[in-house]
Amino acid sequence: CLLPLKFWYGGLTFYGGFLVCIPLGIWTLRRYKLPVWKVGDLVGFAVPLGLGFGRLGCWFSGCCFGALADQPWGVSFPNGSMAWLQHFEANIVGAADPSSPVHPTQLYSIVSNWAIFGFMYWWYRRKRTFDGEVFWLFVLLYAVSRFIVELWRADERGGVVGLSTSQ
């Protein structure tokens, strides 16, 4: 029952932080009487920067890995990693082998998030015409990029009708 609260078992994701940020953000905006959509525009280019750094953690821990890849940029994770465990259980690799090469979806996410950050920063400084525009443009771009990266993900997270929970 309390397993979701035991963060030392893993499972820390963006969603948990997001769900905590919403009430705290609303409280802070009200407490200090900050303009909601001006702050939203700052969030629109700051969040993808942070998401990119968060995906570095995914890269170093070996989670959020991609499907098998035969491209030259496919990466293998070490024995004991999540990708290795999935490949070992499927009899793709032996006990002493690293994982088979997979798409580095963590790096795909990092690149796409930082590209969104760069675009959002440029848009914020040059093209913004109304408050909230940068926030909503970020939401749109992130949704599209996340949907695309999810096409290459292979870690087990469940899904519905062929789409991952993140899609």
Side-chain angles (χ1 to χ4, degrees), residues 3-152:
L3 187 60
L5 301 176
K6 296 180 178 181
F7 61 87
W8 50 90
Y9 284 112
L12 297 175
T13 66
F14 169 80
Y15 304 114
F18 181 71
L19 292 175
V20 170
C21 278
I22 295 294
L24 288 177
I26 291 169
W27 178 83
T28 301
L29 290 170
R30 288 184 177 166
R31 168 91 165 84
Y32 295 103
K33 297 177 176 64
L34 297 171
V36 173
W37 292 115
K38 286 184 186 281
V39 172
D41 282 340
L42 296 174
V43 166
F45 74 84
V47 168
L49 180 66
L51 287 171
F53 282 109
R55 289 293 176 190
L56 282 173
C58 296
W59 172 252
F60 291 127
S61 73
C63 66
C64 309
F65 59 90
L68 293 172
D70 56 2
Q71 291 81 6
W73 58 85
V75 296
S76 294
F77 287 95
N79 182 308
S81 67
M82 291 179 203
W84 175 86
L85 183 60
Q86 188 181 76
H87 296 169
F88 180 74
E89 288 175 352
N91 293 319
I92 297 172
V93 297
D97 302 324
S99 75
S100 290
V102 296
H103 283 276
T105 51
Q106 309 94 326
L107 300 182
Y108 298 169
S109 292
I110 292 167
V111 168
S112 69
N113 282 310
W114 286 348
I116 291 171
F117 161 75
F119 182 75
M120 293 291 74
Y121 185 71
W122 172 81
W123 191 271
Y124 181 79
R125 298 196 49 167
R126 305 269 188 232
K127 299 287 185 182
R128 183 174 60 105
T129 58
F130 61 90
D131 292 339
E133 180 179 11
V134 172
F135 173 80
W136 290 112
L137 186 57
F138 155 69
V139 169
L140 175 70
L141 292 175
Y142 179 73
V144 170
S145 72
R146 180 67 186 257
F147 187 91
I148 292 168
V149 169
E150 287 291 316
L151 295 173
W152 287 289

